[in-house]
Amino acid sequence: MVNPTRPFELLVCLIALALGLAAWLISDTFPRTAEGYLGPALFPKLLAVGLAIASLSLLYRNLRQPGLGASLKLLAWPNLLRIGGILLALALTPWALGKLGLLGSAGALVLLSSLLLGARWLEALLTALFMVAFVYVVFVQLLKVPL
Amino acid sequence: MSFFSLESFLAMMLGALYGALFGSLPGLTATLAVSLFIPIAIFLDPAVAFSAIIGITATAIFAGDIGATAMRIPGTPASAAYTEEIHQIGKERSPAFALGISALSSALGSLVGVVILIGGSLGLAQVAKQFSSFEYFWLVLLGIVSGVFASPSMAKGLIAFGVGMLIATIGYDPALGTPRFNFGNPNLLGGISFVVALIAFFGVAEVLNNIYSYKKGPQPPASPNQNRSVAQEFFGAGGRLVWKERRLLLRSSLLGTFIGFLPGAGSDLAAWISSNFTRLRRGSKEQVTLSGASSNNAAVAGTWIPALSLGIPGDTLTAIVLGMFLTMGITPGPDLFAKNLGFVVQLYIAFILASLLMMPLVGYLGAALISTLLRIPMRLLLGAVMGLCLVGAYAINRNPFDLYLLVVLGLLGLLMQRGGFPVGQLILGMVLGPLLEQYLMMSLIKTQWDLTALFSRPVAMVLAVCNLLLIVGMLWLRRQRARPNNP
């Protein structure tokens, strides 16, 4: 049966396995206690074992089922590109903070996100302006949160 | 001045609105709300100042549900335990109904907590004093085990917990202070901010998930109940459900109060344990929301039990309030009852007023606001949510590095959501992981790494047996359900 969650399930299992493996290897470098016990490495190593067992069992179950190719075809590639665009914009925000400030950067992000979600230019612009005004009034003026 | 003056009542009302604003906005917490109020409070009459503080604490935790219902972003960590459920109820039926359940059960849960606070402050505090790292270890493990089994897939639940707990190991280790997994980056030395993770896993991931499901064309029609009046849904339907589930409400409130009075546990843990127990029993979305909301608000009153009777804060919030007590020349502890009985009684009554009046009022206003907000097209609302995520994540530490974390964790949240992994359990792992490690390491260090010591005390032994029974029972239950004649 074609299952649209399978590619994502597979990817998360691989990430969890990689994280577990990395945690095991990196925690080898942590200092041991004076008595020679694992100390700060103990808990990450326990987690690494748990993650490896759970992700390998799920990987095995996922790969044993037929129809992975068909599940991959169900991926919404244009929307994945949109998501890439939003994440790229968010990743550029620390750089934009220096140029536009937080309010300007937030406005730009709202504008871009709304456009990627299918909004028209004018309504996206109005939403961004409203958002900037809301953040300024509520966070800065009313709650005195330093931004 | 008395707690029953007009000034005190107004202070409580304004405090409740101020707390609700903080609680409902991602990135702003109840603790921050009280912290920012302290410089003003010290110049006020104690009765007015504490009325406002009670108003803030009563609504800030509940108001976390407003963000969770409207945008799937829990305003406070305590609401994260049942964000999925309350957001779904809001989407499928109406936000007014979702917030009606939450506000009314929060009010009643808080009332149960206050009654226990009044009736058993001193007695219950004696029980808490018996708990050491051994008992806490098993109690936290109980929270994790119930969380894993509450997930539809055990393997997915384990992965979500594992990833959450692993994320929480970044930074100084809680027992020995060794820096871990920071890769030489000073931004990671203090660990990953919990609020940033909340915003990423719930807020950013939700926006990305909506973009992934985006299809050109008209939006799906709203559910028929969206057109019913807010009052009908909030008080009528919400009230009927709360009345129907009164036993569950009482159980969850009692559990929440008990967890709340354990020092360091707090309302977040209370909500997680309570809602996970309801999930384990295959409770409906409404039941999970009701048990989580009543439990976390009961826990708020519970945290005041050790604070008032022993001078030991149950969480950060009560720690700040205790500081306020001392600044105003009031020493919490057994002597408080002897020397300031009148003040304590008025404090209790203020709690009852805040529970019965402020929560339903703020909840109703929140529901009315969301019902208006949801008339805005999703493409615009989600864009605005993205902006709010950015501001909320940055407002915590004003550190641009947190925005990179928002990207990475938001993407991970999206992948997990699309893959059917329970993101809530990941967040629970981030809360419980450091506690579990801390109590494990403390126990091992105290006993020269003797693991059998974890079973050496009677209460610890009982809690260990509870864990074992829960695992065996749940495995048996899953086996029974997996049989072909048992769909």
Side-chain angles (χ1 to χ4, degrees):
Chain A
M1 203 180 110
V2 184
N3 179 357
T5 65
R6 271 187 75 186
F8 296 99
E9 186 182 290
L10 204 64
L11 199 56
V12 174
C13 282
L14 289 173
I15 292 171
L17 189 62
L19 283 175
L21 210 66
W24 180 275
L25 294 174
I26 296 170
S27 57
D28 271 341
T29 63
F30 298 158
R32 288 181 169 240
T33 63
E35 301 90 350
Y37 294 109
L38 274 174
L42 176 69
F43 196 65
K45 277 197 185 295
L46 288 174
L47 291 179
V49 173
L51 270 178
I53 293 172
S55 50
L56 280 174
S57 80
L58 203 56
L59 264 178
Y60 174 72
R61 223 165 50 197
N62 186 306
L63 291 173
R64 239 178 39 161
Q65 291 167 5
L68 180 62
S71 298
L72 282 169
K73 279 184 193 152
L74 287 181
L75 285 176
W77 289 106
N79 290 350
L80 282 176
L81 280 176
R82 282 192 174 94
I83 288 170
I86 294 248
L87 289 177
L88 186 68
L90 193 55
L92 287 173
T93 320
W95 170 82
L97 281 173
K99 312 272 174 202
L100 306 170
L102 181 66
L103 292 179
S105 308
L109 189 66
V110 174
L111 181 74
L112 186 73
S113 308
S114 307
L115 288 174
L116 285 171
L117 279 157
R120 287 185 293 272
W121 263 99
L122 187 63
E123 58 183 15
L125 191 66
L126 286 175
T127 311
L129 287 174
F130 172 78
M131 190 64 206
V132 170
F134 173 79
V135 170
Y136 180 74
V137 170
V138 174
F139 281 75
V140 181
Q141 292 296 317
L142 203 62
L143 302 177
K144 309 281 179 211
V145 178
L147 293 177
Chain B
M1 195 178 285
S2 144
F3 276 78
F4 304 114
S5 63
L6 182 67
E7 287 91 336
S8 299
F9 188 75
L10 273 176
M12 186 189 283
M13 192 139 181
L14 288 174
L17 291 173
Y18 167 81
L21 194 57
F22 266 77
S24 59
L25 290 173
L28 302 184
T29 59
T31 315
L32 184 64
V34 176
S35 314
L36 289 177
F37 178 65
I38 294 297
I40 303 163
I42 50 174
F43 296 108
L44 298 174
D45 180 88
V48 177
F50 281 105
S51 293
I53 288 176
I54 289 169
I56 296 171
T57 52
T59 55
I61 297 289
F62 151 71
D65 295 352
I66 297 176
T69 308
M71 304 174 281
R72 198 172 166 267
I73 308 174
T76 59
S79 302
Y82 49 91
T83 292
E84 296 286 355
E85 284 82 4
I86 198 168
H87 182 67
Q88 280 301 319
I89 299 170
K91 256 167 97 172
E92 288 167 11
R93 179 156 177 165
S94 70
F97 178 58
L99 280 174
I101 300 172
S102 152
L104 300 178
S105 54
S106 294
L108 293 172
S110 174
L111 198 63
V112 171
V114 176
V115 169
I116 295 171
L117 169 71
I118 295 168
S121 282
L122 286 170
L124 282 170
Q126 293 304 318
V127 180
K129 275 165 74 181
Q130 307 300 316
F131 272 58
S132 69
S133 60
F134 305 105
E135 286 79 15
Y136 276 118
F137 170 79
W138 291 114
L139 188 70
V140 173
L141 194 64
L142 198 64
I144 293 175
V145 171
S146 61
V148 168
F149 283 107
S151 320
S153 152
M154 216 173 85
K156 286 184 180 179
L158 267 173
I159 289 176
F161 260 102
V163 172
M165 289 198 274
L166 201 60
I167 289 173
T169 60
I170 295 171
Y172 291 111
D173 97 85
L176 299 164
T178 312
R180 296 181 300 190
F181 306 117
N182 68 317
F183 309 104
N185 187 335
N187 290 304
L188 289 172
L189 271 177
I192 288 180
S193 160
F194 183 64
V195 180
V196 172
L198 269 186
I199 295 173
F201 283 119
F202 286 112
V204 175
E206 178 65 14
V207 176
L208 298 181
N209 193 31
N210 271 280
I211 295 175
Y212 185 77
S213 322
Y214 169 73
K215 281 190 182 91
K216 277 190 177 166
Q219 288 189 45
S223 80
N225 291 304
Q226 305 276 9
N227 293 328
R228 291 182 67 183
S229 89
V230 174
Q232 256 180 329
E233 284 291 277
F234 187 91
F235 291 110
R240 272 195 299 277
L241 188 112
V242 171
W243 174 248
K244 196 179 132 207
E245 299 292 346
R246 56 194 181 276
R247 286 191 184 161
L248 174 66
L249 186 132
L250 187 66
R251 268 203 309 271
S252 308
S253 307
L254 290 174
L255 182 65
T257 314
F258 176 74
I259 295 169
F261 93 85
L262 297 173
S267 51
D268 313 356
L269 191 61
W272 281 107
I273 292 184
S274 213
S275 50
N276 273 338
F277 274 145
T278 311
R279 282 189 196 104
L280 280 180
R281 299 173 65 235
R282 291 211 164 174
S284 63
K285 289 189 282 287
E286 288 81 2
Q287 287 171 322
V288 172
T289 302
L290 180 134
S291 59
S294 55
S295 181
N296 64 20
N297 284 282
V300 172
T303 55
W304 283 71
I305 296 173
L308 289 181
S309 52
L310 291 174
I312 300 169
D315 61 0
T316 337
L317 209 62
T318 39
I320 299 170
V321 176
L322 283 194
M324 268 284 291
F325 268 106
L326 294 170
T327 315
M328 292 180 163
I330 303 164
T331 312
D335 283 352
L336 179 73
F337 296 85
K339 290 180 184 164
N340 296 295
L341 188 63
F343 178 79
V344 176
V345 171
Q346 290 191 37
L347 202 68
Y348 288 157
I349 295 172
F351 256 118
I352 294 173
L353 270 179
S355 308
L356 288 181
L357 292 180
M358 299 305 158
M359 278 188 209
L361 174 77
V362 168
Y364 181 73
L365 289 177
L369 182 72
I370 294 178
S371 301
T372 313
L373 273 180
L374 288 186
R375 291 177 206 277
I376 301 170
M378 279 306 267
R379 58 184 185 275
L380 301 179
L381 197 60
L382 288 170
V385 170
M386 199 68 190
L388 202 58
C389 288
L390 167 70
V391 177
Y394 186 73
I396 303 290
N397 306 313
R398 286 196 290 159
N399 183 356
F401 182 78
D402 285 343
L403 303 178
Y404 295 123
L405 290 177
L406 210 58
V407 174
V408 176
L409 300 181
L411 180 61
L412 181 62
L414 169 76
L415 295 176
M416 291 185 72
Q417 214 174 319
R418 302 288 329 172
F421 291 83
V423 179
Q425 315 304 62
L426 184 149
I427 294 291
L428 180 56
M430 283 187 74
V431 178
L432 295 183
L435 292 176
L436 188 73
E437 180 176 17
Q438 189 185 338
Y439 295 131
L440 173 69
M441 294 300 283
M442 275 166 67
S443 306
L444 290 177
I445 290 168
K446 269 196 283 195
T447 58
Q448 273 89 43
W449 298 76
D450 178 13
L451 271 173
T452 57
L454 285 168
F455 305 93
S456 58
R457 292 160 56 98
V459 182
M461 191 68 190
V462 170
L463 287 169
V465 171
C466 286
N467 271 286
L468 188 70
L469 286 176
L470 185 64
I471 293 171
V472 173
M474 289 316 296
L475 284 175
W476 178 81
L477 208 65
R478 276 183 184 252
R479 227 181 134 89
Q480 292 293 312
R481 281 179 186 155
R483 287 191 174 167
N485 56 347
N486 251 343

